[in-house]
């Protein structure tokens, strides 16, 4: 049941990205172009997403189990540290250059767009490089919450 619910949630999310225009890099870049022909329509999409997410987090904060019975695991980190700031900067620069972020990249790759596939490959390479640098080339140095290698 959890797998079916996850699939349905992902499908709704992907359709939402397409309908909202978030899977269109040109539309996203138009939103980010504050000095040119700015397109503010994605601000409404983001505002709706933030409101929905805030409501969901507030609702689930009081629960110990999800609607399907799985344990609730909400983030506990509150610190704004160097990795968070640097990661946010890298994400923002990538988003600004490509007009794509991870969710829309999956949508784009799903319907065969080369931009989406290239973005996903670069994202995976960047994640692997980060992990390599973070562990100091000690791939066996895994945190207690990280899954074991396959």
């Amino acid at each position: 049941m959890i797998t079916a619910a996850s699939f349905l949630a992902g499908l709704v999310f992907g359709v939402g990205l397409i309908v909202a225009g978030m899977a269109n890099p040109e539309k996203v870049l138009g939103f980010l172009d504050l000095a040119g022909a700015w397109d503010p329509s994605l601000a409404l999409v983001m505002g709706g997403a933030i409101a929905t997410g805030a409501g969901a987090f507030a609702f689930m904060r009081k629960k110990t189990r999800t609607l399907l019975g799985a344990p609730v695991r909400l983030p506990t980190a509150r610190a704004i540290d160097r990795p968070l700031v640097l990661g946010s900067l890298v994400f923002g620069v990538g988003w600004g250059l490509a007009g794509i972020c991870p969710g829309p990249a999956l949508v784009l790759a799903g319907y065969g767009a080369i931009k989406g596939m290239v973005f996903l490959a670069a994202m995976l390479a960047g994640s692997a490089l980060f992990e390599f640098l973070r562990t100091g080339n000690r791939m066996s140095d895994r945190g207690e919450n990280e899954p074991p290698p396959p």
Side-chain angles (χ1 to χ4, degrees), residues 29-64:
L29 291 172
F31 169 70
L32 296 173
D33 186 9
L34 299 175
W38 184 54
D39 177 1
S41 62
L42 291 184
L44 296 172
V45 173
M46 289 182 192
I50 290 169
T52 302
F57 272 94
F59 176 77
M60 291 309 295
R61 188 166 287 134
K62 301 170 187 166
K63 307 286 183 189
T64 58

Side-chain angles (χ1 to χ4, degrees), residues 70-82:
V72 173
R73 294 189 186 121
L74 296 176
T76 57
R78 297 281 184 246
I80 298 176
D81 56 5
R82 185 172 185 233

Side-chain angles (χ1 to χ4, degrees), residues 1-17 68:
M1 184 64 162
I2 290 177
T3 301
S6 298
F7 176 79
L8 183 61
L11 184 64
V12 169
F13 181 68
V15 170
L17 289 174
L68 297 176

Side-chain angles (χ1 to χ4, degrees), residues 99-134:
I100 305 171
C101 61
L106 290 170
V107 172
L108 289 168
Y111 65 79
I114 298 297
K115 269 187 170 183
M117 291 184 236
V118 169
F119 183 92
L120 284 178
M123 182 180 73
L124 292 173
S127 295
L129 177 63
F130 169 79
E131 187 65 21
F132 179 80
L133 295 173
R134 183 185 71 86

Side-chain angles (χ1 to χ4, degrees), residues 82-92:
R82 185 172 185 233
L84 176 64
V85 171
L86 292 176
S88 299
L89 287 170
V90 169
F91 176 88

